[in-house]
Amino acid sequence: MNIYERIGLKRVINACGKMTILGVSAVDRTVMDEVAEAASNYVEIDTLIDRVGELISTHTGAEDSCVTSSASAGIAISVAAVISKGDPNLVERLPDSSGLANEVILLKGHSVNYGAPVTTMVRLGGGVPVEVGQANESEAFHVASAITGRTAAILYVKSHHAVQKGMVPLAEMIRIAHEHGLPLIIDAAAEEDLKKYVAAGADLVIYSGAKAIDAPTSGFITGRKALIGACKAQYHGIGRPMKIGKECMLGLVKALDRYAVHKHDGRADIPALEAAIAEVNGIRGLSAELEQDEAGREIYRARVRVHADVLGVDAAAIEAQLRGGSPAIYTRKYYLNAGVFSIDPRPLQGDDLAVIVARLRQLAGACLQENTAKENA
């Protein structure tokens, strides 16, 4: 029985991924020891923010970094930074950015909802989102033609939530931004490569600490020193309600150190996934196959297909029963309309995978039994 079961909540099996709705990550004990020690001592917070920024930058290769409470906060703070440029008067004035260069260009296919709209985070920072192109296709001219004297930055969203095809490549977005003297901000919240986007020339890159890195609730912005200074300045403005505690700052640093040594190897998950896939393929009415992450990350999952013509119910019905049972089993359900859901092995613990397969067998058997009863009635 885990701590949440002890307070009356049901067990949750997370086969969905590093998702905010499920508490994101299971944090390693060594990281939590660092959190506990940091929480029990005092420190000058401004000095800590600067030092943590330096330590984060050793992992990203950037000039400097700004620790945040989350990737969402990082978007709002980054937008406020490029609008205010750290001017104290403007910092205090935001999110009222009237009369300032405040437009933030993003591809329409990147205007995603990850639990909240990314455009809401832009507005919280005082920005005015300007979506360009179409949802399934964008061209460089769409971006360039939207740039005016009111443009503050270009935002690029690197996420599985975003449209993956038909978008302007990142390198082209960076070229356009710099050709027009604009900063390029990347929302890379769940990305696993902490150096790639800084090395590519992005000016500010935003990561979640609690996703790939398995840190406690946290995030960070990494990039050009002048802009990072403007990000830190926002803690005297819109960043104040987004501040992060000293304990989570040091928990993030410890998790980053651990991540550098124990970075998740997606290919190591394949044997267990293939064994589970073989079991699912032996269940009448279901089939499964190995799939790679849709955004190209080195993450592998088991994609389960529900054959509604055999079971008499569709993938949405099976997924709802998985999620509604005890333990509650959460899978990746982005493609239920296509008759499939996926099992992400990264958050699984103990016998979770065996429990999932057993539950699928039970649900499929119950559906088949009900179909037989109807036929015999």
Side-chain angles (χ1 to χ4, degrees):
M1 179 179 291
N2 68 35
I3 190 170
Y4 299 110
E5 290 175 283
R6 292 204 297 271
I7 64 169
L9 302 179
K10 63 183 176 182
R11 174 186 171 191
V12 170
I13 293 178
N14 179 3
C16 187
K18 308 293 184 72
M19 311 298 291
T20 300
I21 61 166
L22 298 178
V24 197
S25 295
V27 182
D28 186 76
R29 179 67 63 181
T30 60
V31 174
M32 292 313 299
D33 288 344
E34 200 86 350
V35 169
E37 183 175 353
S40 62
N41 288 277
Y42 294 102
V43 67
E44 294 173 337
I45 293 295
D46 285 350
T47 305
L48 178 62
I49 288 173
D50 286 340
R51 180 57 181 151
V52 167
E54 293 171 356
L55 294 171
I56 291 170
S57 299
T58 65
H59 294 279
T60 67
E63 294 174 1
D64 199 4
S65 301
C66 175
V67 65
T68 67
S69 60
S70 65
S72 292
I75 298 170
I77 288 171
S78 295
V79 169
V82 298
I83 293 172
S84 71
K85 299 180 174 59
D87 182 321
N89 288 311
L90 297 181
V91 168
E92 291 188 355
R93 175 178 152 188
L94 294 177
D96 175 8
S97 61
S98 53
L100 303 174
N102 60 5
E103 293 183 353
V104 177
I105 295 171
L106 73 161
L107 304 177
K108 191 177 291 292
H110 287 189
S111 185
V112 299
N113 185 311
Y114 54 86
V118 68
T119 50
T120 295
M121 302 308 126
V122 172
R123 292 187 181 96
L124 282 173
V128 176
V130 176
E131 298 176 15
V132 300
Q134 286 79 46
N136 65 336
E137 186 175 358
S138 59
E139 303 284 351
F141 75 85
H142 289 131
V143 181
S145 63
I147 296 173
T148 70
R150 298 184 300 277
T151 306
I154 296 175
L155 173 64
Y156 189 92
V157 179
K158 186 68 180 74
S159 169
H160 67 277
H161 292 295
V163 174
Q164 302 301 317
K165 65 176 184 177
M167 297 295 104
V168 180
L170 174 60
E172 183 72 357
M173 295 286 277
I174 293 172
R175 183 195 66 76
I176 294 169
H178 292 174
E179 193 174 85
H180 290 82
L182 296 169
L184 190 287
I185 303 169
I186 299 182
D187 171 14
E191 289 296 293
E192 298 185 320
D193 191 327
L194 304 183
K195 293 185 175 180
K196 177 179 180 179
Y197 302 112
V198 169
D203 299 283
L204 293 174
V205 187
I206 301 152
Y207 290 91
S208 168
K211 291 191 175 176
I213 302 162
D214 289 340
T217 303
S218 57
F220 60 90
I221 311 161
T222 189
R224 285 173 41 204
K225 191 170 186 64
L227 285 175
I228 292 295
C231 288
K232 293 176 183 177
Q234 306 312 312
Y235 281 120
H236 300 286
I238 65 106
R240 183 68 177 179
M242 306 173 191
K243 63 181 183 289
I244 176 174
K246 59 187 186 292
E247 63 282 351
C248 285
M249 289 192 217
L250 288 197
L252 171 61
V253 171
K254 181 67 174 180
L256 281 166
D257 291 342
R258 186 174 183 275
Y259 183 70
V261 178
H262 300 288
K263 186 176 179 180
H264 180 259
D265 177 9
R267 301 198 72 85
D269 292 325
I270 293 177
L273 284 173
E274 288 182 332
I277 286 167
E279 288 196 63
V280 172
N281 282 330
I283 301 172
R284 189 178 171 215
L286 299 176
S287 60
E289 62 183 348
L290 190 70
E291 67 172 3
Q292 187 175 356
D293 177 66
E294 59 267 61
R297 295 175 293 176
E298 196 73 13
I299 298 170
Y300 296 88
R301 306 184 180 97
R303 171 177 284 201
V304 179
R305 180 170 297 280
V306 176
H307 299 278
D309 57 330
V310 176
L311 295 183
V313 296
D314 61 12
I318 295 293
E319 186 277 333
Q321 290 183 69
L322 287 170
R323 184 165 31 89
S326 184
I329 299 173
Y330 280 75
T331 62
R332 294 176 77 84
K333 58 177 184 176
Y334 301 118
Y335 298 102
L336 288 176
N337 63 311
V340 299
F341 54 82
S342 299
I343 298 169
D344 191 323
R346 294 174 299 157
L348 297 180
Q349 301 174 319
D351 66 345
D352 284 354
L353 190 54
V355 172
I356 293 169
V357 173
R359 185 78 160 275
L360 287 172
R361 184 176 289 109
Q362 176 192 23
L363 291 175
C367 290
L368 292 169
Q369 188 174 15
E370 185 175 342
N371 288 345
T372 301
K374 286 179 181 177
E375 290 171 2
N376 295 333

